[in-house]
Structures are given as structure tokens and as C-alpha cells.
Amino acid sequence: MTESTTKSWPELAFDGWVLGTQMGAVIWLRSMRLMAGGKLAEVEAKRMVSEKVTASMTLLPALMAGGMNQTAEAMTSRAIAHYAKPVRANQRRLSR
């Protein structure tokens, strides 16, 4: 397996910006669902809290998977990737 190249800070900044826009879309979609009320809103609120707890508890192991001697760029890339996957999944799910 080939080793992936580390992204530069401008690439990481762009990835962070994209993640931020996706997070904003998810917040808006979730807000619409919560404001509608009902059982769907209750399920969404519970899911939101559960996902946030899980994401925070699994971030450190995901970062440390690269070892203690990895660069700041590598750790930043791992952090963005860690949060990007569930954000994209929520955006797809909520926009249906």
C-alpha cells in the first residue's frame, strides 16, 4: 500500500472551509426538522446528541492512529476527515 501524501496548509484550509459549509447545511437541515416537531424531531435530537458524544470520544484515537511523531498537517488532515464523514452522511440523509 502506498503512503498518502500530506496535504499543505492551503489545502487543509480549503478542506476545513468545505467542512464548515457542510456543517452549516446540516445545522440548517436539522433545525428545520426540529422546528417541525413530532416524533421525527425527537429522534433527530437524540441522534444529534449521540453523534456528538461519539465523535468527541473517537477523535483522539483517530488522531493517534498516525503515531506520536506525525506532523501537525497530518493530524489536522485526520481531524477534518474524522468529522467530514458523518457530516456528509447527515447532509445526505437530511436532504432527502
Side-chain angles (χ1 to χ4, degrees), residues 3-7:
E3 186 176 323
S4 64
T5 59
T6 303
K7 291 187 175 187

Side-chain angles (χ1 to χ4, degrees), residues 18-65:
V18 169
L19 178 59
T21 60
Q22 291 172 330
M23 289 179 347
V26 169
I27 290 167
W28 182 79
L29 291 165
R30 276 190 160 153
S31 296
M32 294 297 112
R33 183 159 289 182
L34 294 172
M35 286 191 293
K39 184 67 176 168
L40 213 54
E42 184 180 327
V43 169
E44 189 63 36
K46 289 178 182 178
R47 181 180 192 148
M48 180 174 59
V49 171
S50 172
E51 286 176 351
K52 290 189 184 312
V53 169
T54 300
S56 67
M57 297 297 287
T58 57
L59 177 61
L60 186 59
L63 292 177
M64 296 315 297

Side-chain angles (χ1 to χ4, degrees), residues 2-8 11-12 15 71 73-74 77-78:
T2 61
E3 186 176 323
S4 64
T5 59
T6 303
K7 291 187 175 187
S8 67
E11 291 171 316
L12 291 170
D15 289 351
T71 65
E73 292 91 341
S77 184
R78 284 181 184 276

Side-chain angles (χ1 to χ4, degrees), residues 62-84:
L63 292 177
M64 296 315 297
M68 292 295 289
N69 62 346
Q70 62 186 321
T71 65
E73 292 91 341
M75 287 190 81
T76 302
S77 184
R78 284 181 184 276
I80 290 172
H82 177 77
Y83 287 114

